[in-house]
Amino acid sequence: GIYGYPTLMDGGYVTAPRFGIFSKDGEWIIENEGVHPDVEVEMTPKEVINGGDPQLEKAVEMILDKLEDHKKPGVTKPDPPVRAK
C-alpha cells in the first residue's frame, strides 16, 4: 500500500510503498521489486552528460554480436519462369 506523499523541494511529490504483505504460506510478497538485469551496465554521470547512453550502446553491441552468429543462409534467385510455350 501507499500512503502519504512526501513533498519534494520543487513542490512535486513522490509515492513510495510503505506496507508489506505476506502470503498464506508465511512468505513475504515483495511488491515493486522489479526484474534483476541480465546484463549490468555501469552508467556514470560524466558519460550521460557527454551525450552517451551506455545501456543503449551495450544493447546494440550485444545485438550486433548475435547477428554475426546467426547470419541468414544465402538465397539463390531462380531463373525466371518460362510462360510462353
Side-chain angles (χ1 to χ4, degrees):
I2 298 174
Y3 72 91
Y5 303 104
T7 305
L8 302 175
M9 290 175 58
D10 64 359
Y13 63 89
V14 63
T15 61
R18 296 187 180 214
F19 298 111
I21 58 174
F22 56 89
S23 69
K24 293 178 184 178
D25 300 330
E27 299 285 327
W28 285 103
I29 299 172
I30 308 296
E31 295 180 1
N32 299 322
E33 183 176 306
V35 177
H36 296 285
D38 294 333
V39 177
E40 291 189 24
V41 178
E42 185 175 340
M43 292 183 60
T44 62
K46 181 179 179 181
E47 289 173 313
V48 175
I49 289 170
N50 289 332
D53 188 340
Q55 290 178 329
L56 178 61
E57 292 162 9
K58 183 65 175 179
V60 169
E61 174 189 329
M62 291 175 66
I63 290 169
L64 291 175
D65 287 345
K66 285 195 178 273
L67 285 173
E68 286 294 321
D69 296 340
H70 294 64
K71 287 187 177 182
K72 287 185 177 181
V75 177
T76 305
K77 182 177 178 181
D79 293 333
V82 177
R83 298 179 192 250
K85 293 188 179 186

